[in-house]
């Protein structure tokens, strides 16, 4: 019989490897300077310019983040107002259902479904408006920008109406939801906006009518 010996040699030492990587024909062994690798080092002026560019980029980035956060806060605040107004409307609606003897668990579930859909729908609309007004297209004129915003708003309106219709259909098909409560909930954001605007106009009128001094 002939014994066959198989070698499983290897090394853990990088310096013992063959075909080591290289840059510009310089084999990467030991510590190499940029000059040894054929790379020109930055001059003090170039380093200073690079630092200035990085600082400018950081400033622009911080400004963009702060702007987005500010707009995001506006969207959240408006949505919170709609949610509070809709919640108040929900309580009143439930009291009315109880007063006319039509209150049951389906009214509660239908109200919750409509409330979630109404507030979520408004939130998506607010985000769309933010995106439409803040998106900048290079070379776009004011008329083109206004037209683009109108198209985005119109498309969003259609999508939101389809979403509302789908919610109403679900509430009518699923027996656990009172579809009337769901439909009423979808109206509360509009009512909240209308009442809020009336309050703002009244306060503005009172300040205008108040005599100076």
């Amino acid at each position: 019989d002939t014994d066959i010996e198989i070698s499983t040699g290897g090394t853990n030492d990088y310096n013992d490897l063959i075909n080591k990587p290289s840059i510009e024909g310089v084999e990467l062994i030991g510590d190499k300077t940029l000059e040894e690798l054929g790379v020109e080092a930055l001059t003090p002026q170039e380093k200073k310019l690079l630092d200035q560019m990085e600082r400018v980029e950081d400033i622009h980035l911080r400004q963009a983040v702060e702007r987005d956060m500010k707009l995001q806060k506006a969207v959240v605040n408006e949505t919170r107002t709609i949610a509070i107004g809709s919640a108040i409307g929900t309580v009143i609606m439930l009291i009315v259902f109880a007063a006319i003897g039509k209150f049951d668990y389906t009214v509660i579930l239908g109200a919750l479904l409509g409330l979630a859909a109404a507030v979520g729908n408004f939130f998506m609309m607010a985000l769309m408006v933010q995106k439409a007004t803040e998106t900048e297209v290079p070379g776009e004129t004011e008329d083109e920008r206004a037209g683009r915003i109108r198209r985005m708003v119109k498309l969003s309106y259609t999508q939101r109406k389809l979403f509302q219709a789908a919610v109403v259909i679900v509430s009518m098909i699923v027996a656990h939801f009172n579809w009337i409560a769901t439909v009423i909930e979808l109206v509360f954001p509009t009512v909240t906006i209308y009442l809020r605007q009336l309050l703002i106009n009244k306060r503005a009128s009172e300040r205008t009518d108040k005599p100076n001094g």
Side-chain angles (χ1 to χ4, degrees), residues 113-173:
L113 175 64
L115 178 62
V119 175
N121 192 45
F122 179 86
F123 181 69
M124 295 305 297
M125 179 198 69
L127 286 181
M128 185 283 308
V129 172
Q130 172 183 304
K131 180 179 179 181
T133 55
E134 288 302 312
T135 300
E136 297 181 0
V137 178
E140 186 179 47
T141 65
E142 286 298 325
D143 290 340
E144 291 173 341
R145 180 174 182 272
R148 175 174 55 79
I149 293 176
R150 282 195 298 269
R151 289 191 297 271
M152 293 181 67
V153 171
K154 184 176 181 180
L155 176 61
S156 173
Y157 177 82
T158 301
Q159 293 173 340
R160 289 185 290 108
K161 287 302 179 182
L162 290 175
F163 170 72
Q164 289 180 331
V167 171
V168 173
I169 292 173
V170 169
S171 68
M172 297 176 70
I173 294 176

Side-chain angles (χ1 to χ4, degrees), residues 4-210:
I4 299 176
E5 183 178 349
I6 300 176
S7 174
T8 57
T11 180
N12 293 325
D13 190 342
Y14 174 80
N15 293 321
D16 293 337
L17 296 176
I18 61 174
N19 296 325
K20 297 183 183 66
S22 62
I23 296 178
E24 295 293 331
V26 179
E27 195 172 47
L28 299 180
I29 300 178
D31 295 331
K32 298 292 184 182
T33 64
L34 292 177
E35 288 79 6
E36 290 176 330
L37 295 175
V39 179
E40 294 183 1
L42 293 176
T43 64
Q45 292 78 10
E46 291 173 335
K47 290 181 179 180
K48 182 178 179 180
L49 179 60
L50 182 59
D51 291 339
Q52 291 175 345
M53 293 175 62
E54 290 177 348
R55 285 196 294 270
V56 170
E57 289 178 355
D58 289 341
I59 292 173
H60 285 311
L61 178 59
R62 286 196 300 270
Q63 289 176 344
V65 171
E66 290 172 357
R67 181 177 65 250
D68 291 342
M69 289 178 62
K70 181 178 179 180
L71 291 171
Q72 187 68 22
K73 288 181 180 178
V75 171
V76 172
N77 290 337
E78 290 299 321
T79 304
R80 184 185 298 115
T81 299
I82 294 300
I84 294 173
S86 298
I88 294 174
T90 300
V91 173
I92 296 174
M93 180 186 68
L94 294 179
I95 293 175
V96 172
F97 267 95
I100 63 178
K102 299 294 184 179
F103 182 83
D104 60 11
Y105 82 96
T106 64
V107 174
I108 297 177
L109 294 181
L112 292 176
L113 175 64
L115 178 62
V119 175
N121 192 45
F122 179 86
F123 181 69
M124 295 305 297
M125 179 198 69
L127 286 181
M128 185 283 308
V129 172
Q130 172 183 304
K131 180 179 179 181
T133 55
E134 288 302 312
T135 300
E136 297 181 0
V137 178
E140 186 179 47
T141 65
E142 286 298 325
D143 290 340
E144 291 173 341
R145 180 174 182 272
R148 175 174 55 79
I149 293 176
R150 282 195 298 269
R151 289 191 297 271
M152 293 181 67
V153 171
K154 184 176 181 180
L155 176 61
S156 173
Y157 177 82
T158 301
Q159 293 173 340
R160 289 185 290 108
K161 287 302 179 182
L162 290 175
F163 170 72
Q164 289 180 331
V167 171
V168 173
I169 292 173
V170 169
S171 68
M172 297 176 70
I173 294 176
V174 180
H176 296 291
F177 296 115
N178 184 303
W179 69 270
I180 296 178
T182 300
V183 171
I184 294 175
E185 285 286 351
L186 296 177
V187 179
F188 285 151
T190 302
V191 175
T192 301
I193 294 173
Y194 178 74
L195 294 178
R196 182 188 181 194
Q197 191 60 46
L198 284 180
L199 181 60
I200 293 175
N201 292 341
K202 181 181 178 181
R203 290 177 177 175
S205 177
E206 290 176 350
R207 287 195 297 269
T208 302
D209 297 336
K210 184 181 297 184

